[in-house]
Amino acid sequence: MATILVIDDERMIGDLLRSVLSAHSHEVLTATSGREGLEIFRNRKPRFTLLDLNMPGMDGIEVLQAIRKINADAPVIVLTGEGTDALEIRARGLGVTDFLRKGLPLEILIAAVNRDIQQWVKMTEAPSTAVALESAPSPSPEAASILVVDDEPQIRSMLSQFLTMRGYRVRVAQDGPTALAMVTEELPNFVILDMYMPGMNGLELLRRIRTKKYAGGVLGLTGCQDEKLLQGVLDLGAVDVMSKPVDLEKVELAVQLGCLLAAP
């Protein structure tokens, strides 16, 4: 088991990496700012650090420079959504293990992180104690079915990855018409629904889903506040409405509650 520190101001990234890596017996610490991450690094001395470069306040390069003063050889993987060649050269000059761009499909990003950690574990531990980081097993056919509807690819990918690892069967839709077709094909046990999508917003989509005999739970996701819209979703039986970026553990609690309430 290794102690891994994730420093990223996007809470969902930290939650997802914690879920993936904790499932393989690693202790995962998370920080949502550079200063918080550096303080954890000083106090806990993690064996591996995953570091976002683009953060407000103290950015990743500053954090990396400070880490190098504490431990010149500490393994660090850079994660960035806006990486440039110049930024990559600076990071590699500071001895990072890898430089990964968040624009990659989430499955590829997670696989790359897993690969780098596995290689490092093999180099630093005896083979008998190395922990293989494999994909989570596929959920069983009888697992609860979750439909995720969101026009943001990263949100869809994160929620799908996280809930699949928790044992749910997950389908995703990028807009209202696609979601309606999926509901017609198979009624889900729970729906996670973005409130603001082009063409058909979440409230209109939920109204149409309800006409298709869907009586299950719903979780609304929102990037801004429109009290009339949000109240309309709650009036149609939503379990909760959460602001983005969402806490993945709270999402799972909402899913569990919704599935429990909908159970016969």
Side-chain angles (χ1 to χ4, degrees), residues 45-222:
K45 298 178 175 58
R47 298 177 68 185
F48 213 99
T49 300
L50 307 178
L51 174 64
D52 183 22
L53 287 190
N54 303 101
M55 296 183 291
M58 188 178 197
D59 67 27
I61 291 294
E62 293 176 295
V63 175
L64 184 54
Q65 290 170 333
I67 285 175
R68 287 290 169 251
K69 291 179 181 178
I70 300 169
N71 184 343
D73 300 317
V76 177
I77 290 179
V78 162
L79 304 174
T80 180
E82 300 176 3
T84 63
D85 291 341
L87 200 57
E88 181 171 357
I89 290 170
R90 289 188 66 191
R92 291 196 182 279
L94 288 165
V96 297
T97 303
D98 206 348
F99 189 97
L100 303 176
R101 288 175 169 81
K102 292 181 183 176
L104 293 169
L106 187 61
E107 294 78 7
I108 296 176
L109 176 63
I110 294 296
V113 170
N114 286 348
R115 182 195 64 237
D116 288 337
I117 293 177
Q118 177 66 14
Q119 289 175 346
W120 175 77
V121 168
K122 286 180 177 178
M123 289 188 299
T124 58
E125 295 186 351
S128 61
T129 60
V131 178
L133 294 172
E134 302 170 348
S135 299
S138 299
S140 60
E142 64 272 14
S145 170
I146 312 298
L147 176 60
V148 176
V149 190
D150 200 302
D151 62 324
E152 296 182 57
Q154 188 178 44
I155 298 293
R156 293 198 305 270
S157 183
M158 283 185 183
L159 289 171
S160 176
Q161 180 92 358
F162 177 77
L163 292 169
T164 297
M165 287 188 304
R166 297 301 201 195
Y168 297 98
R169 291 191 298 117
V170 184
R171 297 182 295 163
V172 298
Q174 73 274 17
D175 55 33
T178 303
L180 284 173
M182 289 183 172
V183 170
T184 300
E185 177 185 311
E186 176 192 345
L187 286 177
N189 297 106
F190 195 85
V191 176
I192 299 176
L193 178 62
D194 184 19
M195 295 294 93
Y196 298 92
M197 296 181 290
M200 184 188 303
N201 67 27
L203 179 57
E204 177 60 24
L205 175 57
L206 182 54
R207 287 194 184 113
R208 297 195 188 189
I209 288 175
R210 290 302 192 202
T211 67
K212 293 182 178 291
K213 312 297 184 184
Y214 176 70
V218 174
L219 171 64
L221 305 180
T222 178

Side-chain angles (χ1 to χ4, degrees), residues 217-233:
V218 174
L219 171 64
L221 305 180
T222 178
C224 56
Q225 298 298 320
D226 181 330
E227 292 186 8
K228 185 176 180 180
L229 180 64
L230 302 184
Q231 187 59 51
V233 173

